[in-house]
Amino acid sequence: VGDVTTWWCERAWLGGDTVSERVLISVADGRITAVETGAAAPPSARRLRGLVLPGLANAHSHAFHRALRSRTQRDRGSFWTWRDLMYRAASRLDPDGYRRLASAVYAEMALAGITSVGEFHYLHHDVGGTAYADPNEMGQALIAGAADAGVRLTLLDTCYLSSGVDGAPLAPGPQQRFCDGSGEGWAERVEALHHAASSDHVIIGAALHSVRGVPLEHMAPVVEWAEAHQAPLHVHSSEQTAEVDQCLAVHGATPTALLRDAGVLGPRTTAVHATHLTADDLADLDRTATGVCFCPTTERDLGDGIGPAAELLGGRGLFSLGSDSHAVIDLFEEARATELDERLARRERGIIAAERLLGAATLDGQHALGWTDAGTLGVGARADLVAVDLESLRTAGGGATVANVVFAATAADVTDVVVDGRVVVADRRHVGIDDVAGRLGATIAALMDERTGEYAR
Ligand SMILES: [Zn+2]
């Protein structure tokens, strides 16, 4: 056992609907070894003010979508017009640019209290679809970016082979960068990455892009790889009514039913979005204890719709949250949006308890990403500590309660972040990256066409 660090927290959330006062948390080798409430602060202890939470988990990220923030808000359009701009941004990225952008985006997440990120990664190959010398060079760029930012990474390496539910091939151009040719081709590449990159802070997980992106016959190698490695398996599902309608037309089944029949559902699986579900879909997800990941700020940005949060929270699967397209990176906003959207849909208040929403942002998210030893402030857990200011412009007067954090705090109220016992954010500053905003601005500007200031066509 190495050095023991002791943290004295003015207040901490140890679970449930209450907040504990004067909490002493001992940490050795990145793990919590003791938790004592009502404790005096020993002179040697490091102090954390405000309310200390377990690490937040961003269970669904596409790092490069951060380059689209606010640039897609001008024109009328839909998910599909947004996607065209996203493809143009994708076509500009090389491994160096991807690493620089990812390190800045993950540092923005660290500053928001996020200690684990699930990166749904499909930008695998060079422009035109040619493999890099190391076919996992782009994945390694994300891994390096997460290390720069000091956060854990679950690289949900994504199989993405087709452009429609009917199995139509990916279009020439940017989409070719996603394609491994077959499910077997995907598994071969990812097996090499698993051997090269797995560590105490990197999990290689699996993902199926969607029922649009992976023809049924190519799903089995992905499911089998995840099973063999007991790895998380994520899949975009039922985000758009058009996707559901196409799936019904081609297969006579909803996306959830199709995934069920392909053996995709289960407790290690997370269906991302799960917006448009039938009663049978809900029963399938519950029976198989399949998790879901809601991304409310993206779902509202893209006009997707409102998913059945309360029904899913009542089921057996994990309920995690993600910032997905990064229109906003703020897990408190994702958590409260889950309840506030439900209020709009039902014209009724107080449906999901604040502590359940915070549990989604912490424990459920960490577990959905395979970090089953994270997400609580308990003995044996990874020592992730996130201090939230209770005396800011937003939170002052709201009380030392879970509700104040969930319904009033923003990412800007996170003051200090410890990941696996290491200080990553201190007094609202990232300890490894001086000027995160400057790096975001510079890396995104570098993707633009120099003449027009827009993404090149
Ligand atoms: Zn997504």
Side-chain angles (χ1 to χ4, degrees):
V1 176
D3 292 341
V4 176
T5 304
T6 308
W7 297 90
W8 185 83
C9 311
E10 191 178 24
R11 295 185 178 84
W13 179 59
L14 304 179
D17 62 352
T18 58
V19 161
S20 299
E21 309 245 337
R22 301 187 305 285
V23 180
L24 202 58
I25 299 177
S26 303
V27 174
D29 293 334
R31 303 271 169 169
I32 296 174
T33 55
V35 179
E36 188 188 340
T37 59
S44 61
R46 304 177 76 159
R47 286 168 179 256
L48 291 172
R49 293 184 55 79
L51 177 60
V52 174
L53 312 174
L56 303 173
N58 190 352
H60 191 67
S61 160
H62 306 279
F64 79 91
H65 293 191
R66 176 64 180 79
L68 303 177
R69 185 181 293 179
S70 301
R71 292 177 181 279
T72 62
Q73 304 295 354
R74 283 166 297 196
D75 306 318
R76 208 179 145 79
S78 67
F79 171 88
W80 310 100
T81 55
W82 171 88
R83 202 180 62 160
D84 287 340
L85 194 66
M86 184 266 283
Y87 285 157
R88 278 193 266 152
S91 69
R92 306 278 294 180
L93 282 160
D94 62 14
D96 284 347
Y98 205 28
R99 176 185 177 157
R100 280 194 299 276
L101 180 59
S103 68
V105 175
Y106 296 155
E108 181 183 353
M109 290 184 196
L111 287 162
I114 291 160
T115 62
S116 293
V117 54
E119 177 69 24
F120 200 100
H121 163 60
Y122 50 77
L123 200 53
H124 301 306
H125 304 296
D126 203 349
V127 176
T130 319
Y132 288 105
D134 171 2
N136 287 303
E137 206 166 329
M138 293 295 266
Q140 291 285 11
L142 293 167
I143 290 165
D148 293 341
V151 299
R152 287 188 299 272
L153 176 70
T154 299
L155 188 69
L156 298 160
D157 195 297
T158 305
C159 182
Y160 193 174
L161 306 173
S162 58
S163 67
V165 177
D166 58 358
L170 290 167
Q175 293 190 18
Q176 290 302 313
R177 303 192 71 178
F178 314 154
C179 191
D180 289 306
S182 66
E184 285 84 3
W186 171 91
E188 193 182 319
R189 182 179 55 70
V190 173
E191 182 64 14
L193 183 61
H194 171 76
H195 283 285
S198 299
S199 73
D200 188 52
H201 46 270
V202 175
I203 290 174
I204 306 302
L208 297 159
H209 180 276
S210 58
V211 298
R212 288 183 285 112
V214 186
L216 203 48
E217 65 271 24
H218 290 285
M219 289 185 184
V222 180
V223 175
E224 285 161 15
W225 188 90
E227 174 69 27
H229 295 79
Q230 290 295 294
L233 172 61
H234 287 219
V235 53
H236 289 134
S237 185
S238 300
E239 177 178 9
Q240 295 285 321
T241 50
E243 172 199 321
V244 177
D245 294 345
Q246 287 160 14
C247 197
L248 284 166
V250 173
H251 297 289
T254 65
T256 306
L258 196 70
L259 294 171
R260 176 199 64 205
D261 294 345
V264 175
L265 303 186
R268 271 183 300 96
T269 298
T270 297
V272 179
H273 302 301
T275 308
H276 303 285
L277 301 179
T278 64
D280 285 347
D281 293 342
L282 283 164
D284 281 333
L285 294 171
D286 181 34
R287 185 178 48 76
T288 55
T290 301
V292 297
C293 178
F294 271 32
C295 306
T297 65
T298 293
E299 289 149 10
R300 73 193 184 199
D301 184 70
L302 295 177
D304 290 340
I306 300 171
E311 288 87 339
L312 289 162
L313 279 157
R316 271 165 273 197
L318 296 166
F319 188 101
S320 56
L321 296 165
S323 64
D324 189 2
S325 69
H326 309 317
V328 178
I329 294 178
D330 186 337
L331 266 285
F332 303 132
E333 178 61 32
E334 304 295 344
R336 66 178 154 262
T338 304
E339 161 69 10
L340 297 177
D341 286 354
E342 196 78 354
R343 292 183 189 182
L344 284 171
R346 295 184 185 214
R347 289 179 281 172
E348 210 181 298
R349 301 185 77 236
I351 295 138
I352 307 161
E355 62 269 21
R356 185 65 191 89
L357 296 167
L358 198 53
T362 55
L363 183 86
D364 282 29
Q366 299 282 1
H367 285 211
L369 296 178
W371 304 104
T372 52
D373 50 2
T376 62
L377 297 177
V379 172
R382 288 173 177 268
D384 291 0
L385 310 176
V386 175
V388 181
D389 189 350
L390 295 176
E391 293 165 7
S392 76
L393 277 173
R394 291 158 293 274
T395 56
T401 62
V402 174
N404 195 21
V405 169
V406 170
F407 287 98
T410 72
D413 296 316
V414 171
T415 59
D416 298 84
V417 180
V418 175
V419 184
D420 289 331
R422 289 174 299 116
V423 176
V424 172
V425 173
D427 201 15
R428 290 190 168 87
R429 294 193 66 84
H430 196 281
V431 300
I433 299 175
D434 267 351
D435 178 8
V436 175
R439 187 180 292 203
L440 280 165
T443 53
I444 292 169
L447 300 177
M448 302 293 162
D449 186 288
E450 284 167 22
R451 285 175 303 106
T452 62
E454 302 279 339
Y455 293 110
R457 280 195 184 271

